[in-house]
Amino acid sequence: AQTVTQSQPEMSVQEAETVTLSCTYDTSESDYYLFWYKQPPSRQMILVIRQEAYKQQNATENRFSVNFQKAAKSFSLKISDSQLGDAAMYFCAPRYSGGGADGLTFGKGTHLIIQP
Amino acid sequence: EPEVTQTPSHQVTQMGQEVILRCVPISNHLYFYWYRQILGQKVEFLVSFYNNEISEKSEIFDDQFSVERPDGSNFTLKIRSTKLEDSAMYFCASSSGTGTYLNFGPGTRLTVL
């Protein structure tokens, strides 16, 4: 079974500061995709950023960037210039492209608190 | 931008009753999913559906659960005889391919009394 570990149940950061959320995963697949989803209090699941495992370049999306270390199976999310609207649960989710309609495997999530 | 929609937003039912949760995936998507999230816990995979059949299901998805795509637009999850522990948020999702991200609906909050 594929496992996803988010070792920080909760993180707190001052507004405008930078925070990094960690994620490690375990897979024997060589081709896969990695996603970070955000779940605000509304509980809607919102895609934050995605990374293809075959790409060495780390993905960035405005204030959000990842540090993808394939050999270490690590996929951390960095949020720069944190804003109050970033407060949410953040889930790391690999997706393995083994040919079937496999979905996402979610970690337990990190609750991000933004201090004004 | 197209969205996945789900109805109802909140369903309250008595234990032992059947419920049907409805989803309209994004129209050109081919892969459909149901996930659930018990309050305060992680999002758990239930089932994936492609080409009018189940592709994969988790151990949670037992004989009490079934999925159907009754027409070209709806995708439903049926729970035949609800239990208290079925109380959760149920998310429908769809994707256009196996390597792309999943678009999630807003969820249906199921409360079993």
Side-chain angles (χ1 to χ4, degrees), chain A residues 4 33 35 37 39 42-47 50 91 95-97 99-109, chain B residues 31 33 35 37-39 42-43 45 48 50 55-56 89 91 95 97-106 109:
Chain A
V4 182
Y33 302 80
F35 304 94
Y37 278 84
Q39 187 179 41
S42 67
R43 299 189 75 180
Q44 173 83 51
M45 297 292 286
I46 302 166
L47 178 70
R50 59 183 153 177
F91 294 96
R95 186 175 191 190
Y96 306 106
S97 54
D102 294 349
L104 302 170
T105 303
F106 285 92
K108 289 187 177 180
Chain B
Y31 300 87
Y33 308 84
Y35 285 80
Q37 184 183 32
I38 295 170
L39 186 63
K42 71 174 183 178
V43 181
F45 169 76
S48 59
Y50 169 72
S55 302
E56 189 184 3
M89 194 77 156
F91 292 101
S95 72
T98 56
T100 61
Y101 63 92
L102 271 61
N103 290 85
F104 282 84
R109 184 153 63 108

Side-chain angles (χ1 to χ4, degrees), chain B residues 5 13 23 34 37 40 51 55-56 69-70 90-91 95 111:
Chain B
T5 60
T13 190
C23 169
W34 283 100
Q37 184 183 32
N51 201 25
S55 302
E56 189 184 3
R69 188 154 162 82
Y90 287 81
F91 292 101
S95 72
T111 303

Side-chain angles (χ1 to χ4, degrees), chain A residues 1 12 18 21 39 41 43 56 65 70 75 88 90 96-97 107-108 112:
Chain A
S12 182
T18 294
L21 310 183
Q39 187 179 41
R43 299 189 75 180
Q56 291 187 330
S65 61
K70 190 172 184 179
F75 181 58
Y90 285 80
Y96 306 106
S97 54
K108 289 187 177 180
L112 180 63

Side-chain angles (χ1 to χ4, degrees), chain B:
Chain B
E1 190 172 327
E3 294 180 336
V4 177
T5 60
Q6 290 185 243
T7 54
S9 57
H10 189 192
Q11 172 94 47
V12 181
T13 190
Q14 295 291 325
M15 189 170 58
Q17 295 296 304
E18 174 183 286
V19 295
I20 297 177
L21 310 183
R22 292 184 166 79
C23 169
V24 179
I26 292 172
S27 63
N28 63 345
H29 283 186
L30 301 174
Y31 300 87
F32 313 115
Y33 308 84
W34 283 100
Y35 285 80
R36 80 169 185 193
Q37 184 183 32
I38 295 170
L39 186 63
Q41 298 187 23
K42 71 174 183 178
V43 181
E44 300 174 293
F45 169 76
L46 291 177
V47 66
S48 59
F49 191 87
Y50 169 72
N51 201 25
N52 282 320
E53 60 182 24
I54 291 174
S55 302
E56 189 184 3
K57 57 184 181 179
S58 70
E59 61 264 20
I60 302 169
F61 194 87
D62 61 22
D63 292 343
Q64 294 298 312
F65 291 88
S66 62
V67 289
E68 196 177 32
R69 188 154 162 82
D71 52 43
S73 59
N74 290 284
F75 179 51
T76 62
L77 174 70
K78 183 193 292 186
I79 308 174
R80 198 183 343 262
S81 177
T82 49
K83 307 184 194 70
L84 295 176
E85 54 265 36
D86 292 328
S87 294
M89 194 77 156
Y90 287 81
F91 292 101
C92 174
S94 69
S95 72
S96 58
T98 56
T100 61
Y101 63 92
L102 271 61
N103 290 85
F104 282 84
T108 292
R109 184 153 63 108
L110 177 65
T111 303
V112 182
L113 302 175

Side-chain angles (χ1 to χ4, degrees), chain A:
Chain A
Q2 321 283 8
T3 59
V4 182
T5 302
Q6 293 182 248
S7 59
Q8 307 147 315
E10 187 174 278
M11 291 283 282
S12 182
V13 65
Q14 291 284 103
E15 195 176 1
E17 296 292 304
T18 294
V19 63
T20 298
L21 310 183
S22 66
C23 172
T24 58
Y25 55 94
D26 184 21
T27 182
S28 56
E29 304 271 347
S30 58
D31 186 21
Y32 52 91
Y33 302 80
L34 296 155
F35 304 94
W36 278 97
Y37 278 84
K38 166 184 174 180
Q39 187 179 41
S42 67
R43 299 189 75 180
Q44 173 83 51
M45 297 292 286
I46 302 166
L47 178 70
V48 175
I49 197 166
R50 59 183 153 177
Q51 172 83 40
E52 292 90 343
Y54 64 84
K55 287 188 179 176
Q56 291 187 330
Q57 186 172 8
N58 288 322
T60 62
E61 193 74 40
N62 299 316
R63 297 182 295 106
F64 299 87
S65 61
V66 299
N67 183 3
F68 173 49
Q69 303 287 329
K70 190 172 184 179
K73 297 178 183 172
S74 169
F75 181 58
S76 60
L77 173 69
K78 184 169 88 170
I79 306 174
S80 303
D81 185 25
S82 299
Q83 299 175 1
L84 294 177
D86 295 333
M89 283 292 288
Y90 285 80
F91 294 96
C92 172
R95 186 175 191 190
Y96 306 106
S97 54
D102 294 349
L104 302 170
T105 303
F106 285 92
K108 289 187 177 180
T110 295
H111 181 209
L112 180 63
I113 298 167
I114 311 293
Q115 306 277 6

